[in-house]
Amino acid sequence: MRFDVITLFPDMVRAPFRYSLMARAIDAGLFGLQVHDLRQFAADRHRVCDDYPFGGGEGMVLKVDPIARAIAAAAQRGVRKQVLLTSPGGRRLDQAFARELAQLDQVLIVCGHYEGVDERVRQHIVDGEVSIGDYVLTGGELAACVIIDVVARLLPGVVGSRASVDNESFENGLLDHPQYTRPRVFDGLAVPEVLLSGDHGRIARWRRQEALRRTWRDRPDLLENAPLSEEDRRFLGALDVRRDSGFEAGSSDEHES
Ligand code: ADE
């Protein structure tokens, strides 16, 4: 899979992918990242990519023609691709959207900037708009990096094992279970006994229950769509009863069986 980003600030987009897992994945050819400097596609000597808004008003507007030329130059033919504009008004990025994008051969991201983008880009040039959350960034570069990171880590081989992607927060519709590593006791804070028991059945049950408990406490909205077993529902029902009787407080390693 290949990502192409069209931006006025190419280094802002390249920098995060020079580190860690993403840099290794790119080096290994697991995905490609091409960052295109929008100024290279300007028509004039001064490489101007924005202009005053027709009708007057504050701020500058990104021009349609350099964006259209940049996309034409970057788009591969005959592949499954999408051209997306970053925008706070776009479709909200979530794990399901990321999985859809991970099926494509090429994702092109146009970084919005300044006060706006010529409306013809939205209407005629891109396939859709994507937002990374309900807040306003100064530009689309950080959003593009988030989108690429979230999608790329779903690609085969990018994250160590398939299991570490499948088991984590959101992938199974729940928040992740708690993790601990050495030391067993830090400053009087002990690791839950069950994790040291060596009993894999008990550990798996405890992890499932803690994931349910966390989700129930911090993101109950996720429970509406999470695939839940009868046992899960009984556990959640018991949490509701405990809360309603003023009993439930935070996480623990009770409620195992
Ligand atoms: N540009 C400005 N704010 C944004 C957001 N929340 N998501 C995507 N692009 C943006």
Side-chain angles (χ1 to χ4, degrees), residues 12-164:
M12 252 181 105
V13 177
R14 289 189 189 115
F17 301 97
R18 292 196 183 118
Y19 300 91
S20 181
L21 222 68
M22 290 292 147
R24 285 202 294 279
I26 291 172
D27 283 348
L30 298 176
F31 71 93
L33 173 60
Q34 302 279 329
V35 185
H36 309 272
D37 183 354
L38 183 59
R39 290 193 195 284
Q40 301 291 323
F41 298 91
D44 67 310
R45 262 186 331 120
H46 301 291
R47 306 227 173 269
V48 173
C49 291
D50 56 0
D51 208 339
Y52 296 99
F54 279 127
E58 289 289 300
M60 303 292 274
V61 176
L62 276 187
K63 289 159 66 66
V64 59
D65 50 301
I67 292 175
R69 280 191 291 272
I71 292 169
Q76 295 176 294
R77 288 176 196 281
V79 301
R80 290 167 303 170
K81 63 174 174 288
Q82 278 225 17
V83 183
L84 299 170
L85 172 68
T86 60
S87 157
R91 175 176 170 193
R92 184 100 65 85
L93 182 69
D94 59 15
Q95 206 62 26
F97 190 6
R99 276 194 296 271
E100 286 174 33
L101 295 176
Q103 303 301 315
L104 300 171
D105 301 310
Q106 189 181 23
V107 173
L108 297 97
I109 304 173
V110 179
C111 297
H113 231 273
Y114 300 140
E115 272 71 20
V117 178
D118 189 303
E119 184 63 17
R120 289 166 291 189
V121 173
R122 278 201 175 81
Q123 300 269 330
H124 303 288
I125 306 288
V126 300
D127 299 314
E129 296 172 59
V130 54
S131 161
I132 62 161
D134 287 344
Y135 39 76
V136 181
L137 300 161
T138 52
E141 283 72 19
L142 294 175
C145 294
V146 168
I147 298 162
I148 295 168
D149 189 283
V150 168
V151 175
R153 60 191 299 293
L154 297 175
L155 302 174
V158 172
V159 171
S161 76
R162 191 63 235 167
S164 53

